[in-house]
Amino acid sequence: MHIKVLYFARLREQFGVSEEIVELPDGAVMVAMLLDVLRARGGVWAEQLAAGQAYRVAVNQELADQVAPIEAGDEVAIFPPVTGG
Amino acid sequence: MHIKVLYFARLREQFGVSEEIVELPDGAVMVAMLLDVLRARGGVWAEQLAAGQAYRVAVNQELADQVAPIEAGDEVAIFPPVTGG
Amino acid sequence: MKISVQIEDFDLGREVTELRAHQPQIGAVASFVGLVRDINDGSTVAAMSLEHYPAMTEKALRDIAAEAAQRWQIIDATIIHRIGDLYPTDQIVLVAVASMHRHDAFAACEFIMDFLKTSAPFWKKELTPQGARWVDARETDETATQRWTKPSKR
Amino acid sequence: MKISVQIEDFDLGREVTELRAHQPQIGAVASFVGLVRDINDGSTVAAMSLEHYPAMTEKALRDIAAEAAQRWQIIDATIIHRIGDLYPTDQIVLVAVASMHRHDAFAACEFIMDFLKTSAPFWKKELTPQGARWVDARETDETATQRWTKPSKR
């Protein structure tokens, strides 16, 4: 299945991409599995998404944790802790 | 000695006076003694300044308690709890 | 520090603009406006009259602001309190505090309002269908003041 | 409830006037304005650029305001956050809350600011003499959010 993934701010710049379609196995999938796929790319992906790094994930525009389910057609965003206000 | 005494708001209306000069014995005097002199007038004075009534005293424009000293030339104000803001 | 006791109305936007002028280190402005409500304690309020103790008022407000400046890092503050006759929706009081960071501005602004409510010599008299009545002090205002007796901690 | 994410500046006075319009039961308006400071973390800031996540931003702000309305008695609220390029002394954010009594207005306003700081998808990039840098989230902002997890009591 296809998941639309967005990156913002520092992560967008470090990954050099603002939006992409990621291919994941069909069926029940969690945020953690998407992160594994991205980390497997190595380099800056493995580094910035490593355990202990501060980043946030939103699924369909809602903040979500690692065990949140994602399904075909969902929009997942990965970004640094927010700094507005 | 002479002390200038001011009354405000509900107390000003109930006493029917906004400002007067009160004669007190010379020397070391506390707020409590002025209040005794006023209560001794009886009627609304005894009633409104009775123990347990809610009122405030300021000596020279600073909130003060019953044991605060007052001396000749001081300005003492007696008023209900404030309700601005 | 601007402290004013006045009959005239005030303009929140203009006051905050003046408070901020030429101070590029300001990162936060917290402000509060108190208004005459059309209903208070269950009665319709047609008008309100605000009496004060002229010789004491400004000094009391200045002392409250100085105490706030001791407790928090504030850059500047404005306090305006109106007196005289006021009507529903009229502005009564403005407190605005400028600081580098928001917590100081919020805390100092609320502190000033809480202490103004219990130690600045203003008294409200309301005109209601049942006649004129002096507004009673609220116990919740005393409680609000007392919570500041402990040092403010996050 | 007015929620706006915009490039244009805003006018505090006008926003509060609109928030109050035709609501004579409002007794209190607490407001907050966040500004670009000329110095942050020890460096001179020449300019700032604010990025956001358009599809999520307004929803996140609306959720925060709705949560505030659950916790306190508020009559109405306005949240405006700017995006794009901003310069020292520019306004970044406005939160204004109207209520009957001041404690609700103050608490809801500060609550909204605290949650906006940790859960609304905005990111600041500063231009300094050492180059452009993304602003790091402050741990104090997380702490500020966490203190609201317990019910607010006087």
Side-chain angles (χ1 to χ4, degrees), chain B residues 62-79:
Chain B
E62 296 248 23
L63 288 171
D65 56 24
Q66 305 259 330
V67 297
I70 46 180
E71 52 187 63
D74 279 354
E75 177 175 295
V76 177
I78 304 177
F79 45 75

PDB file of all heavy atoms in Angstrom, chain B residues 62-79:
ATOM      1  N   GLU B  62      -1.553  54.041  53.255  1.00  0.00           N
ATOM      2  CA  GLU B  62      -1.060  52.662  53.204  1.00  0.00           C
ATOM      3  C   GLU B  62      -1.976  51.807  54.071  1.00  0.00           C
ATOM      4  O   GLU B  62      -2.273  52.201  55.216  1.00  0.00           O
ATOM      5  CB  GLU B  62       0.357  52.553  53.785  1.00  0.00           C
ATOM      6  CG  GLU B  62       1.399  53.313  53.025  1.00  0.00           C
ATOM      7  CD  GLU B  62       2.391  52.371  52.334  1.00  0.00           C
ATOM      8  OE1 GLU B  62       2.029  51.186  52.084  1.00  0.00           O
ATOM      9  OE2 GLU B  62       3.505  52.828  52.060  1.00  0.00           O
ATOM     10  N   LEU B  63      -2.381  50.638  53.574  1.00  0.00           N
ATOM     11  CA  LEU B  63      -3.211  49.752  54.386  1.00  0.00           C
ATOM     12  C   LEU B  63      -2.492  49.469  55.703  1.00  0.00           C
ATOM     13  O   LEU B  63      -1.279  49.258  55.727  1.00  0.00           O
ATOM     14  CB  LEU B  63      -3.501  48.442  53.632  1.00  0.00           C
ATOM     15  CG  LEU B  63      -4.486  48.577  52.461  1.00  0.00           C
ATOM     16  CD1 LEU B  63      -4.549  47.300  51.642  1.00  0.00           C
ATOM     17  CD2 LEU B  63      -5.890  48.943  52.969  1.00  0.00           C
ATOM     18  N   ALA B  64      -3.235  49.482  56.805  1.00  0.00           N
ATOM     19  CA  ALA B  64      -2.618  49.336  58.123  1.00  0.00           C
ATOM     20  C   ALA B  64      -3.499  48.451  58.993  1.00  0.00           C
ATOM     21  O   ALA B  64      -4.692  48.312  58.751  1.00  0.00           O
ATOM     22  CB  ALA B  64      -2.470  50.709  58.771  1.00  0.00           C
ATOM     23  N   ASP B  65      -2.898  47.851  60.026  1.00  0.00           N
ATOM     24  CA  ASP B  65      -3.711  47.035  60.930  1.00  0.00           C
ATOM     25  C   ASP B  65      -3.985  47.811  62.218  1.00  0.00           C
ATOM     26  O   ASP B  65      -3.606  48.971  62.366  1.00  0.00           O
ATOM     27  CB  ASP B  65      -3.081  45.665  61.154  1.00  0.00           C
ATOM     28  CG  ASP B  65      -1.666  45.771  61.677  1.00  0.00           C
ATOM     29  OD1 ASP B  65      -1.349  46.819  62.286  1.00  0.00           O
ATOM     30  OD2 ASP B  65      -0.880  44.839  61.469  1.00  0.00           O
ATOM     31  N   GLN B  66      -4.678  47.129  63.147  1.00  0.00           N
ATOM     32  CA  GLN B  66      -5.160  47.805  64.354  1.00  0.00           C
ATOM     33  C   GLN B  66      -4.043  48.319  65.262  1.00  0.00           C
ATOM     34  O   GLN B  66      -4.265  49.242  66.030  1.00  0.00           O
ATOM     35  CB  GLN B  66      -6.041  46.827  65.157  1.00  0.00           C
ATOM     36  CG  GLN B  66      -7.186  46.226  64.368  1.00  0.00           C
ATOM     37  CD  GLN B  66      -8.507  46.888  64.668  1.00  0.00           C
ATOM     38  OE1 GLN B  66      -8.732  47.376  65.771  1.00  0.00           O
ATOM     39  NE2 GLN B  66      -9.385  46.925  63.677  1.00  0.00           N
ATOM     40  N   VAL B  67      -2.878  47.715  65.169  1.00  0.00           N
ATOM     41  CA  VAL B  67      -1.800  48.145  66.069  1.00  0.00           C
ATOM     42  C   VAL B  67      -0.851  49.140  65.391  1.00  0.00           C
ATOM     43  O   VAL B  67       0.154  49.532  65.976  1.00  0.00           O
ATOM     44  CB  VAL B  67      -0.985  46.943  66.610  1.00  0.00           C
ATOM     45  CG1 VAL B  67      -1.898  46.046  67.438  1.00  0.00           C
ATOM     46  CG2 VAL B  67      -0.339  46.154  65.477  1.00  0.00           C
ATOM     47  N   ALA B  68      -1.193  49.562  64.202  1.00  0.00           N
ATOM     48  CA  ALA B  68      -0.335  50.547  63.514  1.00  0.00           C
ATOM     49  C   ALA B  68      -0.358  51.853  64.301  1.00  0.00           C
ATOM     50  O   ALA B  68      -1.415  52.273  64.780  1.00  0.00           O
ATOM     51  CB  ALA B  68      -0.812  50.759  62.087  1.00  0.00           C
ATOM     52  N   PRO B  69       0.793  52.520  64.462  1.00  0.00           N
ATOM     53  CA  PRO B  69       0.850  53.782  65.209  1.00  0.00           C
ATOM     54  C   PRO B  69       0.301  54.937  64.372  1.00  0.00           C
ATOM     55  O   PRO B  69       0.451  54.952  63.151  1.00  0.00           O
ATOM     56  CB  PRO B  69       2.344  53.980  65.467  1.00  0.00           C
ATOM     57  CG  PRO B  69       3.028  53.250  64.353  1.00  0.00           C
ATOM     58  CD  PRO B  69       2.108  52.111  63.951  1.00  0.00           C
ATOM     59  N   ILE B  70      -0.340  55.878  65.024  1.00  0.00           N
ATOM     60  CA  ILE B  70      -0.736  57.109  64.326  1.00  0.00           C
ATOM     61  C   ILE B  70      -0.278  58.288  65.159  1.00  0.00           C
ATOM     62  O   ILE B  70      -0.218  58.228  66.383  1.00  0.00           O
ATOM     63  CB  ILE B  70      -2.260  57.199  64.066  1.00  0.00           C
ATOM     64  CG1 ILE B  70      -3.082  56.836  65.313  1.00  0.00           C
ATOM     65  CG2 ILE B  70      -2.661  56.304  62.914  1.00  0.00           C
ATOM     66  CD1 ILE B  70      -4.592  56.912  65.063  1.00  0.00           C
ATOM     67  N   GLU B  71       0.080  59.354  64.466  1.00  0.00           N
ATOM     68  CA  GLU B  71       0.519  60.541  65.208  1.00  0.00           C
ATOM     69  C   GLU B  71      -0.073  61.799  64.590  1.00  0.00           C
ATOM     70  O   GLU B  71      -0.703  61.745  63.526  1.00  0.00           O
ATOM     71  CB  GLU B  71       2.046  60.596  65.269  1.00  0.00           C
ATOM     72  CG  GLU B  71       2.727  60.478  63.936  1.00  0.00           C
ATOM     73  CD  GLU B  71       4.239  60.366  64.101  1.00  0.00           C
ATOM     74  OE1 GLU B  71       4.708  59.370  64.722  1.00  0.00           O
ATOM     75  OE2 GLU B  71       4.937  61.279  63.624  1.00  0.00           O
ATOM     76  N   ALA B  72       0.130  62.894  65.279  1.00  0.00           N
ATOM     77  CA  ALA B  72      -0.460  64.171  64.869  1.00  0.00           C
ATOM     78  C   ALA B  72      -0.151  64.451  63.404  1.00  0.00           C
ATOM     79  O   ALA B  72       0.967  64.253  62.956  1.00  0.00           O
ATOM     80  CB  ALA B  72       0.073  65.299  65.747  1.00  0.00           C
ATOM     81  N   GLY B  73      -1.170  64.870  62.673  1.00  0.00           N
ATOM     82  CA  GLY B  73      -0.965  65.205  61.264  1.00  0.00           C
ATOM     83  C   GLY B  73      -1.200  64.048  60.323  1.00  0.00           C
ATOM     84  O   GLY B  73      -1.236  64.232  59.113  1.00  0.00           O
ATOM     85  N   ASP B  74      -1.336  62.833  60.872  1.00  0.00           N
ATOM     86  CA  ASP B  74      -1.565  61.681  60.001  1.00  0.00           C
ATOM     87  C   ASP B  74      -2.958  61.738  59.362  1.00  0.00           C
ATOM     88  O   ASP B  74      -3.883  62.340  59.915  1.00  0.00           O
ATOM     89  CB  ASP B  74      -1.462  60.366  60.790  1.00  0.00           C
ATOM     90  CG  ASP B  74      -0.014  59.942  60.992  1.00  0.00           C
ATOM     91  OD1 ASP B  74       0.885  60.612  60.428  1.00  0.00           O
ATOM     92  OD2 ASP B  74       0.214  58.950  61.708  1.00  0.00           O
ATOM     93  N   GLU B  75      -3.061  61.091  58.201  1.00  0.00           N
ATOM     94  CA  GLU B  75      -4.360  60.947  57.544  1.00  0.00           C
ATOM     95  C   GLU B  75      -4.773  59.483  57.648  1.00  0.00           C
ATOM     96  O   GLU B  75      -4.058  58.597  57.169  1.00  0.00           O
ATOM     97  CB  GLU B  75      -4.254  61.371  56.070  1.00  0.00           C
ATOM     98  CG  GLU B  75      -5.541  61.179  55.298  1.00  0.00           C
ATOM     99  CD  GLU B  75      -5.451  61.722  53.864  1.00  0.00           C
ATOM    100  OE1 GLU B  75      -5.304  62.938  53.699  1.00  0.00           O
ATOM    101  OE2 GLU B  75      -5.487  60.910  52.920  1.00  0.00           O
ATOM    102  N   VAL B  76      -5.896  59.243  58.281  1.00  0.00           N
ATOM    103  CA  VAL B  76      -6.390  57.867  58.433  1.00  0.00           C
ATOM    104  C   VAL B  76      -7.667  57.736  57.596  1.00  0.00           C
ATOM    105  O   VAL B  76      -8.529  58.609  57.644  1.00  0.00           O
ATOM    106  CB  VAL B  76      -6.691  57.546  59.909  1.00  0.00           C
ATOM    107  CG1 VAL B  76      -7.279  56.139  60.033  1.00  0.00           C
ATOM    108  CG2 VAL B  76      -5.419  57.678  60.744  1.00  0.00           C
ATOM    109  N   ALA B  77      -7.747  56.656  56.825  1.00  0.00           N
ATOM    110  CA  ALA B  77      -8.960  56.423  56.034  1.00  0.00           C
ATOM    111  C   ALA B  77      -9.599  55.113  56.464  1.00  0.00           C
ATOM    112  O   ALA B  77      -8.905  54.140  56.738  1.00  0.00           O
ATOM    113  CB  ALA B  77      -8.619  56.381  54.546  1.00  0.00           C
ATOM    114  N   ILE B  78     -10.904  55.112  56.535  1.00  0.00           N
ATOM    115  CA  ILE B  78     -11.658  53.912  56.930  1.00  0.00           C
ATOM    116  C   ILE B  78     -12.650  53.624  55.823  1.00  0.00           C
ATOM    117  O   ILE B  78     -13.393  54.520  55.404  1.00  0.00           O
ATOM    118  CB  ILE B  78     -12.370  54.127  58.279  1.00  0.00           C
ATOM    119  CG1 ILE B  78     -11.328  54.523  59.351  1.00  0.00           C
ATOM    120  CG2 ILE B  78     -13.113  52.849  58.697  1.00  0.00           C
ATOM    121  CD1 ILE B  78     -11.929  54.819  60.713  1.00  0.00           C
ATOM    122  N   PHE B  79     -12.625  52.396  55.297  1.00  0.00           N
ATOM    123  CA  PHE B  79     -13.479  52.099  54.140  1.00  0.00           C
ATOM    124  C   PHE B  79     -13.824  50.619  54.061  1.00  0.00           C
ATOM    125  O   PHE B  79     -13.176  49.787  54.704  1.00  0.00           O
ATOM    126  CB  PHE B  79     -12.808  52.588  52.859  1.00  0.00           C
ATOM    127  CG  PHE B  79     -11.332  52.262  52.722  1.00  0.00           C
ATOM    128  CD1 PHE B  79     -10.901  50.988  52.414  1.00  0.00           C
ATOM    129  CD2 PHE B  79     -10.375  53.275  52.872  1.00  0.00           C
ATOM    130  CE1 PHE B  79      -9.545  50.703  52.241  1.00  0.00           C
ATOM    131  CE2 PHE B  79      -8.994  52.988  52.717  1.00  0.00           C
ATOM    132  CZ  PHE B  79      -8.594  51.710  52.398  1.00  0.00           C
TER     133      PHE B  79
END
